[in-house]
Structure formats: C-alpha cells, structure tokens
Amino acid sequence: MAKPSSVFVCTSCGSQTRQFFGRCSGCGSWNTLVEQKAAPAADNRRRRPVVEAAELAGQPRRSEPIQAVGERPLQRLSSGYGELDRVLGGGLVPGSLVLVGGDPGIGKSTLLLQSACSMAGRASVLYVSAEESAQQVKLRWHRLAQNTQADPRGDADGEAFGDPGAGADFQLLAETDLELVLQELEALRPAVAIIDSIQALHDAELGSAPGSVAQVRDCAAALARIAKRQDTALLLVGHVTKEGALAGPKVLEHLVDAVLTFEGDRFASHRLLRAVKNRFGATHELGVFEMRDRGLAEVTNPSELFLGGDEPSAGTATIVACEGTRPLVVELQALVSTTSYASPRRSATGIAANRLHQILAVLEKHLGLPLSRFDCYLAVAGGLEVEEPAADLGVAAAVVASYRDLTLPPGTVLVGELGLGGQLRPVGQLELRLQEAARLGFTRAVVPRGSGLAKAAAGLGLQLLEAGGVAEALVAALGVNPADDRA
Ligand code: TYD
Ligand code: MG
C-alpha cells in the first residue's frame, strides 16, 4: 500500500500543493499553508466532497424559464430573540446554513442554547455539543433556567430564558463523530440543528485532526447536504483565528448562507452580533446583547448603552451612528493637552487612527488651531467601534471643545462627514438618525447643508442647524467661534 503522502493546504483559500511555500500560489496570502495527510483515494470514500448546488437544494437539473420557476414563500422561524432575528433578516430560513463566529468565551454557546430552548417550544431542535459534555450543557441550561426563576425581573424585561417546558422537542447530543451526527440528523429530521462547534467535529475517514482545513470543509459539506435535503436550518458555531477571521478555509464561508460574528469588549458586558454575509437579508445589521449572570439578555435600546453620564462635560460630543438600518446615539470623548513629547501623542479608541489624524489636520488648516503641539486622545463610549465617516463632525467638535475647554450645549447631536477642504458632506439615512436623536430627547442637530429635512426635524421637535463647512458647523454647535483666540 502506498504511504499516505502529505499535501499543503492553504487555510485561506483551500488550494493544495505538494510542496511547502511561504506564499500561497492560489490566493497570494503569506504563511497560510499547513501540512496535511492526503485524503484517501476518492473511490473508497462514502461521500462525494463536492456538492452540486442543484443537488443540494433538491431541484431539477434542467434549466427552465425563470418565470416558470416555482416560488416558495420564505417561512421564517423566529429564534425567540428579536435581536438575533433582525441580524438573520427576520428569522431562521428552513434549510439555510448559518455560521456563527466569535472569540472564545464571548457567548456563542450561550446564545445558541438560549435560542434553541426558545425555539424548542415551536419546532423540533437538535443541539449537538461537540465541545462540551452533555452534563456541562445541562448545567448551563439549569443555570439559565434557574436564574430566571430567581429573578422575576427577567420576565418583565422580555428577556426571559425561553424554557421549553415539558412538551418541547429539544434533543441533546454530545458527540464529535460526524457519522453519528449525520445519522441522528437523518433519524430525527429536526427543524433546527445546532452544531457547537464545526471545528470540533471529526470525520473518521479523513486522517487529519479535528479542526484542520480538510475536516472542517468535509464536515460542513456533509452537514449542508443533509440540511438542504430535509429542510433543516443549521446553525454552525465557528472558531476565529488570532486575527479575528473565521478559522478554516474560505470555502466554509462560501458554503453557508449567512455568516454572523459575535463580538464584544472583554471588559464590557455588551455583545454585538453582526451579519457579514447574508443570502436572506441585509448585512451590516446589528444585534445588541448583554451578558448577565443569567445568560444573554437583549438590549432593545442600545443607544442608552453608548451614552455617557447625564452631565455634559468639556470635550464630549454626541453623534448618531448608523449600523445597517439601526441608528445608535453614541458619545465621543476627546482630551487635548499640551504635549511634553517631541512628537505629540495621538490615540483613538473605537475610531480609526487615520481618521483622527485627518480630522486634526483639517482643524489645524481651516480653523488655525495649533493642534500639532497638543496630545490628542479620543474614545468612543461603551467600547463601540464607529467606522462611519458620518462621525467626523462629532470628532471635530469633541476635539475643539476639549482644546477650548468648552461644553457643548446639552441636547446637541452632530452628524456629518468632513472633506479635506473643510467642507461638510451629506451622510446617508439622516432622517432615521434624527428620529433616533429626537426619541432620546435631543433637541438640536447640526447636519450638513441641503438635507431638506427642516420640516421633518420641526415635526420631531428638533432644532436643525445646517452648515456648509466645519467652521460654520462648530460655531453653530458651540455658540462661539472656536477659531477666535479667547478674549
Ligand atoms: P460561552 O457561551 O461558553 O462562550 P463561547 O461558546 O463563545 O466560547 O460563554 C462563556 C462565558 O459567558 C463565560 O466566560 C461565562 C459567561 N457567562 C455569563 O456571564 N453568564 C451566564 O449566564 C453564562 C451561561 C455564561
Ligand atoms: Mg462554546
């Protein structure tokens, strides 16, 4: 018998070579090749690793006019958590594959166990725990359920742990062998199956270790085939690498219908769920949860989480960021102080450092503020990451307010992108942002000129201050001209 030889597989694109290279010849990424035992010859394999799309969906293999293609109304199954449903695009679609990734300990298992329990009252659920023993899962389940009983407030908040009760169809399987998991899936034909995690599953036919590229790809393809055939919605937990990308080959992300990432600050209790890919809904939707001692609770009003204290202080400004269709009122804090270093320090938390540098340069040039002689620190409250350029004006206002030791009038929000020439550029979804600000009791909004929202703002009880450039906007916001040296 021929000695099983090794191949080198790229963890990023999945391409294979016989020889080791520092750089993948398939996708060009560096240091992504890992050694693997070659798979046994194809003829003694039970399953075909490559699944044809048509076969997957159980559809005829002939082409037909698009008008003739039968339509099936999308029947979505609610996960029991509005925040999760929103990110999924309105609920779980039968037969869909959803990959949930996130750092270890962020709460992936907790989230899926909670929604499994909630769904089990309405549909049959199979929970496959490949990482934890059945006892461990049971313990967690008890903890989640007991804590709700101990604290009745949980019910009032609408964040109750969805205890499935006696009649629920909730099956637990603690198993790592793919073959047994597939058998169980075929026998039970559940409406929803949860695999925690795909990296811990193991196909005994492949020589490589669990979690390796070949294993992950093979297990996911086999599960996908069964799920599509019997219309089971599959939720797969995936690990992330040190860099934060989903571990395993990119083909895994191509295979699934939706990729959700669960993220959060290690030091904060809130968790953010985002869709980075979704065949059944919009991406960039955001779900917000909070990790409590009784599991994850939904945060239906996240703006309150990202607002600082009630008292406005010098160097803070409030913006309305938009995550997908979801507006978030967020507080920014800046600290500008005379530098004692040769080159001043700049530090930005929650905002790209480049963006801060650019805004400082614009302020220096167009307002004549000597910021290059000052250290500048900027932070987004609540540990949120704001990527949108719409935050620019808020950053500029916070920096100038800190530099001049001014406090913005209470109830002011700022929205606008700064151009390099100091002009204010319009931003998307402005009306939505203004509605959210008004809902939270803000009374003034500084926005780019030409929004056409004067009437809408008046209806919301907001004073709309439109400005064409950064200097004009800051005068409107602060009530004094920051470019004037203090008298
Ligand atoms: P877990 O769901 O096991 O994370 P993952 O599956 O993503 O690795 O979450 C574990 C963390 O959550 C752990 O550090 C403890 C914390 N936790 C709570 O704070 N409250 C709870 O009720 C539960 C179940 C977990
Ligand atoms: Mg886990």
Side-chain angles (χ1 to χ4, degrees), residues 103-110 140 143 291-295:
D103 285 328
I106 204 79
K108 302 179 293 296
S109 306
T110 309
R140 187 194 301 247
R143 178 174 167 192
M291 184 59 96
R292 305 224 176 130
D293 56 356
R294 57 171 179 274

Side-chain angles (χ1 to χ4, degrees), residues 108-109 131-132 140 196 237:
K108 302 179 293 296
S109 306
E131 287 182 356
E132 295 169 78
R140 187 194 301 247
D196 187 2
V237 173

